[in-house]
Amino acid sequence: MPCKSCGLVNRSILNGEIGIHFPGLKGIDKPVVWVFPKLVVCLERGTAEFVVPEAELRQLRKSDAAGAG
Ligand SMILES: [Zn+2]
């Protein structure tokens, strides 16, 4: 499948380890959410795509809602 960014097919599927933080001062007391997704990396432009699994997505929603109030 071609890249959404550049339209070329020079992409690689790699293993990722990503710690997701909330930005700014509001984020410092929120837990880091770790995900270990397959990354689809465009080797032309460096753009990357991955899917946050449902369990981790729930953690992000919970933390985000906690910060809104
Ligand atoms: Zn690309």
Side-chain angles (χ1 to χ4, degrees):
M1 224 171 87
C3 173
K4 288 178 202 159
S5 173
C6 68
L8 299 174
V9 289
N10 190 10
R11 302 208 293 173
S12 195
I13 297 176
L14 304 166
N15 295 327
E17 282 180 42
I18 298 172
I20 304 177
H21 305 249
F22 284 84
L25 283 176
K26 276 196 328 191
I28 57 174
D29 53 357
K30 292 182 181 181
V32 175
V33 176
W34 288 96
V35 293
F36 302 89
K38 297 283 181 213
L39 299 175
V40 183
V41 178
C42 171
L43 300 177
E44 297 294 328
R45 294 202 173 166
T47 58
E49 289 174 34
F50 67 96
V51 174
V52 177
E54 187 56 37
E56 286 78 6
L57 203 52
R58 275 199 297 272
Q59 290 180 50
L60 292 175
R61 288 188 192 117
K62 216 190 288 177
S63 287
D64 197 43

